[in-house]
Amino acid sequence: MRIDDRARRPAFRTFVGTGRQSGPVIVVPMLQFAEISKRYGPVTALDHVSFRVEEGTVTGLLGPNGAGKSTLMRLLVGLDRPTSGSATVAGHRYRDLRWPLRVIGTHLGGRPVHRRRSARAHLRSVALTHGLARARVDEVLELTGLADVAHRAAGGFSLGMGQRLGLAGALLGDPAALVLDEPVNGLDTDGVRWIRELLRLLADQGRTVLISSHLMSEVQLVADRVVVLGGGRLLADTTVAELAGRARDEVVLRTAEHGADDRLRALLPDAAIRPVDDQCDDGAWRVTGASEREVGLAARGADLTVLHLARETADLEAGYLTLVGDRGQQVDSVEAR
Amino acid sequence: MSGRNATIEVGATSSALVALIRSEWGKAWSVRAPAACLAGAVLLAAGTAFTLANDQVRAMQTGEIPVGTLVPVAEILASSVMFAQMVVVLAALQLVTPEYASGQIATTFLSHPRRWVVVLTKAAVAGVLGGLTGLLTGPLCVAATELALGDAPRATVPAAEAAVMTAGVFACAAMVAVALGFLTRSGVAALSVAFVLLVLTLAAPAATGKVFPGVAGSALVSGTGDPYARWAALLVLLAWVVASVGAAVVSVERRDA
C-alpha cells in the first residue's frame, strides 16, 4: 500500500445528477446521518442526530459513556435499525451495498469471532464472502502483527490481540472508509503507538475514518474533525482546532502567600481567578483572561513571592470538557447545532 | 488499492450469494464441533440399531416373542434415526448459536447485510450436511441391524431406501434447528425446543402428535403408514421447515442484530 496524494484521489465520490446536463451536481458525502433517532423502549439513545463525514477526512466521535457513539456506528452499518431518520454510506444504505467490506471496514470492539476458530480461519471465512484472495488475509495479518499467532484459536486472544484481529477484519476489503469503535481499548503502550501510526497511514492514503475514543490525546493527534455527542444529541460538529480553541489558555500561578486572590483581582479586573484546589487555599491560582506577563506583573504589584508561573495551552480535552462539563452530563445548557 | 477507484456496486448478485455459501460451508468445517457431532450421530444411530436388534434376538431366545416372528428392520431404523437426530440438531446449531454467543454474528451480517439470505444459506448448508450424514447413517443402521439379527427372520429394508429416508429426516431436522437457533439465539433454548418438537411429541397422543415433526420423521423412515403415508409425512416435515425458517427470517430481519 503506497501513500498517495489525497487531492489526486477522488475515489468513490458519488455524483447524483439532476438528469439535465446544466443542472446542479451534488456530491454525496462518504458517511451521512440524517435526523437519525434510536429508542430502546423508553430510553432514547439518539435524538435526531445529523452530520456528515466528508471523503478523506478523519473524524473523532467523542462523548461520555452512554452518549450514543456505539449506537450511531451500529446504525450506520445496519446492525441496528433506526427508529427514524437514516444513515448512508456513499449515498447508499449499508445493506444495499453489494460488497460492503470493499467500501467500508468496521470494527465495533470486542472480539466478534467464534472462540474455537483460528484467527486465520476467521479472516478467511470473511474474505470468502467477498471473493478476496488468501494472500490478502496474510497481508492484513502481517499489517496487524498477528502473523505469528494466526493459527491460534481466537478465544484465547488477549484484549489487545482481539483489537488487532478486529482491525484486521476491518482492513480486509481494502475499504475507502473505516468505522472504528474504541480501537485503542486494551492496547498496551506499544499497541497505542502502533494504532496511532496505522491511523495516520490510513488517513494519508485518503481513507475516510470515523473513530470513537475516550483518549482525547489520540483523537487530537489523528483527527481533522470532531463530532461530540451527549445524551443522544449532537453537541458539536467542528474541527479539532476549533473545539480546542473553545477552552481558553490558563496561567497557573503558585505563590508563597495565602489568601492573595483579592489583591490579584484588584490588579487584574478582567481576569477570572480560581484556586487550583477548591478544598484549601494553598496559594496556587488558575487565571484565565490574562497573559503570563500580566499575571507576573500583577503578582509583583501585589507584592507576592512567585514560586511558579506557567501558561497551560488549551487542548482538545479542555475544549471537550467545556462542552460536556466535568461530570459529562451537563449538556442541556449547550446549544446543539 | 485496486478496488477503491471502482464505482460502488449496489444490489444483490448471484456471485455474492455463491461467495456467502462458500464462506458458510468453510465456517462449518473450520471448527471441530459440527463434524464431531455429525460423526457422533452416525455412530449413535448405528449403535442404537445394533442394540435394538440384539434385544429382539434375546426376546426370541427367552420366548417373549414367538420364534420365527419377522423382525421389522424399518422400525428399528426409525427408532435409531429419531434418537440420533438430536445430535444432528446439535451439529446444525453449531452454525448459529455460537455466533450469537461470541458476537461473530455481527461480522457475518457486516459481510453480507441481506440477513434473510444469511438465514437461508445457513439453513441450506445445515440441510446439506444433515442430508449427507443421513445418506451414510441409513445404510449403516440397516447393516448394524442385520449384523445383530444373525439368521433371525426379518422384514428388511433396501439400503438405498434407508439412505434416502434418513437423509430426508436429518436434513429437515438440521434446517429446523438452524431456524430455532436464529429464533432463540441460545444453544440451550434451541436444543430444548428441538427436543420437545422432535422427540417428546413421539410420546404424545396420536391425534396431537401427528402434526409434529417427530412423528412425521418416524413415519417417513419406517414407512409403516402409521399415522400416515410417507408422502404425507414428508409434507408435514417440509411444512415445519418452511414455517420455522420463515419465522426465523422475519425475526432476524426485524430485530437489531
Side-chain angles (χ1 to χ4, degrees):
Chain A
M1 286 196 279
R2 297 205 53 79
I3 297 171
D4 301 331
D5 180 0
R6 250 180 232 210
R8 274 188 268 131
R9 311 193 68 262
F12 275 141
R13 183 151 291 171
T14 314
F15 294 96
V16 179
T18 58
R20 288 168 299 169
Q21 288 294 316
S22 57
V25 174
I26 302 153
V27 178
V28 175
M30 194 65 203
L31 311 176
Q32 183 163 29
F33 299 89
E35 289 290 311
I36 202 161
S37 295
K38 178 67 180 176
R39 276 192 292 279
Y40 297 100
V43 181
T44 300
L46 284 173
D47 188 9
H48 294 89
V49 170
S50 297
F51 70 94
R52 40 170 62 189
V53 177
E54 300 298 343
E55 191 186 330
T57 60
V58 177
T59 301
L61 186 57
L62 308 177
N65 287 330
K69 305 187 294 291
S70 298
T71 302
L72 194 75
M73 290 180 163
R74 290 178 65 85
L75 290 171
L76 177 69
V77 295
L79 289 177
D80 288 0
R81 302 258 184 272
T83 307
S84 66
S86 68
T88 51
V89 179
H92 302 286
R93 287 191 310 167
Y94 186 90
R95 68 171 285 148
D96 292 334
L97 298 173
R98 183 174 296 171
W99 307 108
L101 303 187
R102 293 184 180 180
V103 182
I104 179 166
T106 309
H107 173 44
L108 297 180
R111 195 185 308 140
V113 187
H114 191 299
R115 295 180 55 77
R116 296 287 178 88
R117 195 169 281 133
S118 74
R120 179 176 276 117
H122 167 70
L123 291 173
R124 277 193 181 155
S125 76
V126 177
L128 274 175
T129 64
H130 279 58
L132 301 168
R134 284 183 165 214
R136 179 62 189 160
V137 170
D138 295 329
E139 258 176 56
V140 294
L141 282 168
E142 202 66 51
L143 183 67
T144 51
L146 290 173
D148 293 339
V149 294
H151 62 283
R152 279 170 48 186
F157 276 17
S158 68
L159 192 57
M161 286 156 78
Q163 289 281 24
R164 286 168 184 261
L165 182 54
L167 279 162
L171 292 168
L172 200 55
D174 192 15
L178 283 153
V179 173
L180 309 172
D181 194 2
E182 300 281 356
V184 187
N185 261 8
L187 292 177
D188 55 17
T189 317
D190 276 352
V192 171
R193 195 165 51 194
W194 166 76
I195 201 164
R196 189 189 301 150
E197 282 162 12
L198 179 68
L199 286 170
R200 277 213 189 116
L201 174 73
L202 297 170
D204 287 343
Q205 289 169 341
R207 294 178 212 249
T208 312
V209 183
L210 181 63
I211 174 177
S212 77
S213 179
H214 285 117
L215 297 180
M216 299 289 158
S217 50
E218 293 306 316
V219 171
Q220 187 158 20
L221 281 171
V222 296
D224 312 304
R225 295 186 65 83
V226 279
V227 167
V228 184
L229 292 178
R233 289 163 53 203
L234 184 73
L235 300 184
D237 172 10
T238 182
T239 62
V240 170
E242 198 275 328
L243 184 57
R246 290 193 192 186
R248 299 167 72 188
D249 287 0
E250 288 182 328
V251 175
V252 175
L253 172 69
R254 201 177 297 279
T255 65
E257 292 83 1
H258 300 262
D261 51 327
D262 288 337
R263 279 189 275 162
L264 278 173
R265 279 198 188 94
L267 293 163
L268 293 167
D270 297 330
I273 301 171
R274 58 193 170 88
V276 167
D277 184 349
D278 340 309
Q279 304 303 318
C280 69
D281 171 13
D282 60 356
W285 311 96
R286 285 184 181 279
V287 184
T288 43
S291 68
E292 286 159 288
R293 180 182 166 78
E294 285 163 347
V295 174
L297 288 172
R300 193 174 71 182
D303 201 19
L304 300 173
T305 308
V306 174
L307 305 176
H308 171 88
L309 176 67
R311 189 165 59 105
E312 287 187 358
T313 314
D315 58 4
L316 183 62
E317 184 162 2
Y320 169 78
L321 287 175
T322 62
L323 195 59
V324 301
D326 283 302
R327 281 171 292 279
Q329 290 302 322
Q330 299 170 339
V331 293
D332 287 341
S333 61
V334 182
E335 193 69 35
R337 243 182 50 173
Chain B
M1 288 292 135
S2 57
R4 297 178 58 212
N5 285 311
T7 51
I8 296 175
E9 293 175 85
V10 182
T13 164
S14 59
S15 50
L17 176 62
V18 171
L20 179 66
I21 293 170
R22 289 185 63 196
S23 172
E24 288 298 331
W25 183 261
K27 275 202 260 181
W29 296 104
S30 63
V31 286
R32 287 192 206 98
C37 286
L38 292 174
V42 176
L43 295 177
L44 183 66
T48 307
F50 185 89
T51 311
L52 290 176
N54 196 44
D55 286 350
Q56 295 279 317
V57 173
R58 284 288 170 81
M60 259 181 246
Q61 284 168 354
T62 57
E64 266 179 78
I65 303 175
V67 177
T69 310
L70 286 183
V71 176
V73 176
E75 287 181 31
I76 290 176
L77 173 67
S79 301
S80 312
V81 167
M82 287 300 104
F83 189 39
Q85 73 173 339
M86 283 312 293
V87 190
V88 175
V89 164
L90 205 56
L93 286 177
Q94 298 299 321
L95 308 187
V96 183
T97 52
E99 293 213 3
Y100 276 103
S102 64
Q104 159 113 41
I105 196 72
T107 305
T108 303
F109 287 150
L110 286 173
S111 309
H112 197 101
R114 285 163 292 278
R115 296 185 196 174
W116 65 274
V117 181
V118 173
V119 175
L120 293 187
T121 301
K122 280 190 185 282
V125 166
V128 169
L129 288 175
L132 292 176
T133 308
L135 286 178
L136 190 63
T137 306
L140 212 63
C141 281
V142 173
T145 308
E146 303 273 351
L147 185 69
L149 288 179
D151 51 7
R154 81 286 309 261
T156 193
V157 177
E161 185 184 320
V164 172
M165 298 306 156
T166 308
V169 169
F170 278 5
C172 290
M175 287 190 277
V176 169
V178 165
L180 291 175
F182 275 111
L183 284 167
T184 62
R185 292 181 278 183
S186 146
V188 175
L191 196 62
S192 306
V193 177
F195 186 73
V196 171
L197 285 181
L198 298 173
V199 180
L200 281 192
T201 49
L202 289 170
T208 323
K210 69 181 180 186
V211 300
F212 287 100
V215 174
S218 180
L220 183 66
V221 177
S222 69
T224 53
D226 175 32
Y228 33 55
R230 275 184 166 151
W231 64 267
L234 186 63
L235 282 183
V236 171
L237 279 184
L238 290 179
W240 274 93
V241 170
V242 171
S244 59
V245 173
V249 164
V250 171
S251 162
V252 166
E253 282 286 345
R254 272 195 190 166
R255 82 192 158 206
D256 292 336

